[in-house]
Amino acid sequence: MLPDSLRHAGWTRATFFTGLGIAFAYALSLGARAGLGYDPVLDGEAVLQVALIAAPLFFLVGLGCFDYWFYWASGRPARPEDHSGHGATSWKSYFYPNTDHKVIGIQYVVTSFFFLLVGGLMAMLMRAELAQPGRQFVDPGTFNGLFSVHASILIFLFIIPVFAGLANYVLPLMIGAPDMAFPRLNALSFWLLPVAGVLMMASFFAPGGSFASGWTAYAPLSNSAPIGQVFFTIGVQFAGASSIATALNFLVTIITMRAPGMSFFRMPLLVWANFSTSLLVVIATPFIAASQFFVLLDRALGFNFFNAAGGGDVLMYQHVFWFYSHPAVYIMMLPGFGIISEILAVKSRKPIFGYRMMAFSLLAIVVLGFTVWAHHMFVSGMQSWIRVPMMITTAIIAVPTGIKIFSWLATMWRGVLKLDTPMLFALGFLTMFTLGGISGVMLAMIPLTIHVSDTYFIVAHIHYVLFGGSLFTIYAGVYYWFPKMTGRMFDERLGKLHFWSTFVFFNATFAPMHLIGVDGMPRRVADYAEKYAGWNLAISLASFALGLSTLIFVYNMVVSWRGGPRAVSNPWRALTLEWQVTSPPPVFNFDRIPTVVGGPYEYGIPGAVHGILHDGAEVAPTPAGTAAQPSKE
């Protein structure tokens, strides 16, 4: 008879089941190799590859992520839903699967920021190595591992999931729903994420070192790399499964669970942004899953998908990979566009200029995002006739993005701007993303791409887009919804100090990379020519200051969450539904489903209301127009 700790879901059972998963991997590998006549029967690499799949799945079973479905699949009587696992009762609740979208949202955000700190620490190590020419303290192989894991963690385990976390918390509230459409799938989606993160970080302990082929994992390099590469290959599968399940959940929730009266053109733009992003994720993410699955089959079973000597096609890897990975740029941008739209409207006390145009431009980006993948392959050796069409489509995609920039500027025009921390980060995003967008249009041009390919110009561009673009919107969103999530206000002075230190040292770090990139400094190298020494020392010093600025944010969030001033229900006087309930909201969001009677951004229109909460609502809806005059706050 098993003890209670192993019969009931929890960390004890999860640890025990992880051990079972490893034992299962040994048994399966030994049995299969013996049955097929392989010599030796015990092969450590084969066991490890099976264990990397089996152990995480057994861990999730032990933690209880599949309990409800196993109960149903076993044919046992229907279990009454008592909602005992819904909502957080203490900080310990965040370490177990939970079906409350608000708990899951916070789990996503906190976990993602943990991975941001890990990835940022790796960036600091790289910049320390690059502060001077020559070898300082890491060998080239370790350096390759650092930039590979740094990029993979920040893309797959920070930017993409942190947006999912913010949307998880806010989106059901915004559309007047009590939860997500599939709460248990939502919980599983989150727990797939730390599994992927642990796999990627654990690759440093693999024989031969961590995966060192970059986040692109180009074949055939990834086919012949040490076993650490498999940690990335399988980690991406878990992260991708998490993304797809979350996206499906968002789509079904948005389509089927909107409050009465909330038509598609009464949805806040954050909802539109996540609707568009979810379409991208569902269509594109299976392609990267397939590319890594093919690599795994090549390595484990000799399928030769990407082995030219065995009849495979090396270039096909890049086509499949970039068919996902260019749309992935917009997966990492579109939710941020929604966040900025919310903040600019509220902080300017103005309706969004061209609301419908903004919504359609999101859908246009979704469509055009699938037509530009080959511009990453201008120097790959693909057919030359593809270059010009891809150059044209890459330039065209700047049009819907430009529409959004001009719409945001028009929204602020003659508005009553409140320059607090969320607004500063929103304005910082506008500046940095515009600069990153300009260098992006430059990179669409074939001659320039050929000149700067694999130089620090590319490093500068991608960081202006993903750090200056995505991360600024993430900071803006976290500050904006922090009172709603925690019921506390953050320290505004620390918030502004965080913004200005980030803004200044971000530019001091990445702007010079354009110059040394055009001058020819290669990226992804641990050493460089003496002529780049001065700029690299300056960049490293600025990057250390940028890293320290992150600690201001962490300190502010932790201290404010524990003891900041109590937040009122609607500190920003916003109209959207999430601000019409208490901070933090009730367990099931609304006592009664609200009715939507107007647009979400009717600031300046006297008497305009977005939604009405019926009897039992904690807070009366905030009428629009009350802040049409200059605020005294």
Side-chain angles (χ1 to χ4, degrees), residues 197-266:
V198 169
L199 284 177
M200 290 189 186
M201 290 191 295
S203 69
F204 281 105
F205 303 102
S210 63
F211 60 92
S213 57
W215 79 278
T216 54
Y218 278 162
L221 181 60
S222 53
N223 280 12
S224 56
I227 188 68
Q229 186 66 45
V230 179
F231 284 70
F232 171 84
T233 302
I234 296 176
V236 166
Q237 304 293 347
F238 282 100
S242 170
S243 290
I244 293 172
T246 303
L248 286 171
N249 219 341
F250 281 146
L251 287 174
V252 176
T253 302
I254 294 170
I255 292 171
T256 65
M257 296 181 68
R258 285 170 287 125
M262 180 168 281
S263 64
F264 266 76
F265 289 112
R266 281 181 176 172

Side-chain angles (χ1 to χ4, degrees), residues 260-275:
M262 180 168 281
S263 64
F264 266 76
F265 289 112
R266 281 181 176 172
M267 292 194 310
L269 284 171
L270 180 70
V271 182
W272 266 108
N274 279 283
F275 183 79

Side-chain angles (χ1 to χ4, degrees), residues 233-591:
T233 302
I234 296 176
V236 166
Q237 304 293 347
F238 282 100
S242 170
S243 290
I244 293 172
T246 303
L248 286 171
N249 219 341
F250 281 146
L251 287 174
V252 176
T253 302
I254 294 170
I255 292 171
T256 65
M257 296 181 68
R258 285 170 287 125
M262 180 168 281
S263 64
F264 266 76
F265 289 112
R266 281 181 176 172
M267 292 194 310
L269 284 171
L270 180 70
V271 182
W272 266 108
N274 279 283
F275 183 79
S276 307
T277 306
S278 299
L279 288 174
L280 268 175
V281 170
V282 170
I283 298 171
T285 303
F287 284 86
I288 190 172
S291 71
Q292 298 312 307
F293 193 60
F294 291 160
V295 168
L296 187 64
L297 290 175
D298 272 6
R299 293 182 61 103
L301 301 176
F303 270 44
N304 292 328
F305 283 112
F306 305 122
N307 179 9
D313 186 345
V314 176
L315 269 184
M316 184 54 66
Y317 177 89
Q318 293 192 37
H319 280 295
V320 175
F321 178 85
W322 285 115
F323 195 76
Y324 160 79
S325 295
H326 190 84
V329 174
Y330 302 106
I331 292 171
M332 292 182 271
M333 295 304 309
L334 296 189
F337 291 173
I339 291 171
I340 295 304
S341 297
E342 300 301 321
I343 294 174
L344 289 184
V346 172
K347 301 297 180 183
S348 303
R349 313 310 297 178
K350 287 275 300 290
I352 287 286
F353 181 85
Y355 168 90
R356 293 195 178 212
M357 189 170 57
M358 291 284 272
F360 285 128
S361 67
L362 287 166
L363 297 177
I365 291 172
V366 171
V367 175
L368 290 170
F370 286 103
T371 66
V372 299
W373 80 92
H375 82 242
H376 294 274
M377 301 169 61
F378 283 163
V379 296
S380 68
M382 67 177 182
Q383 297 88 336
S384 57
W385 67 267
I386 299 179
R387 290 176 169 178
V388 172
M390 286 295 169
M391 179 180 73
I392 294 171
T393 54
T394 305
I396 289 176
I397 203 169
V399 174
T401 308
I403 288 173
K404 306 191 80 63
I405 298 287
F406 285 113
S407 175
W408 287 323
L409 293 175
T411 299
M412 289 188 290
W413 175 251
R414 302 188 71 176
V416 184
L417 304 187
K418 185 174 178 59
L419 296 176
D420 56 7
T421 303
M423 184 64 165
L424 286 175
F425 272 104
L427 296 176
F429 155 79
L430 275 179
T431 310
M432 298 300 97
F433 181 70
T434 301
L435 293 175
I438 290 172
S439 63
V441 173
M442 294 166 65
L443 287 172
M445 304 301 119
I446 298 169
L448 181 73
T449 296
I450 292 174
H451 177 68
V452 300
S453 181
D454 281 330
T455 71
Y456 261 64
F457 191 92
I458 306 295
V459 179
H461 165 70
I462 197 69
H463 282 86
Y464 264 84
V465 172
L466 293 186
F467 192 130
S470 298
L471 188 53
F472 272 54
T473 65
I474 292 164
Y475 281 140
V478 170
Y479 279 114
Y480 182 67
W481 281 294
F482 182 83
K484 184 56 60 182
M485 290 179 169
T486 66
R488 304 276 184 173
M489 296 300 293
F490 56 84
D491 188 317
E492 181 65 23
R493 290 178 301 174
L494 287 177
K496 288 181 176 176
L497 177 62
H498 174 222
F499 168 74
W500 285 113
S501 58
T502 303
F503 187 83
V504 170
F505 293 117
F506 166 79
N507 283 288
T509 299
F510 296 108
M513 291 183 183
H514 291 102
L515 302 176
I516 59 176
V518 171
D519 200 28
M521 175 158 169
R523 63 171 173 164
R524 297 169 177 162
V525 292
D527 194 10
Y528 50 84
E530 186 69 31
K531 66 177 181 177
Y532 303 119
W535 274 121
N536 268 292
L537 178 60
I539 290 170
S540 291
L541 293 175
S543 71
F544 297 149
L546 180 61
L548 290 174
S549 72
T550 307
L551 299 182
I552 301 173
F553 168 78
V554 174
Y555 175 81
N556 193 3
M557 294 296 101
V558 173
V559 172
S560 299
W561 196 344
R562 293 190 60 187
R566 295 283 181 186
V568 297
S569 301
N570 194 357
W572 315 130
R573 294 179 301 152
L575 291 178
T576 44
L577 293 176
E578 80 272 23
W579 296 107
Q580 315 311 323
V581 295
T582 56
S583 300
V587 173
F588 288 100
N589 298 347
F590 306 96
D591 292 328

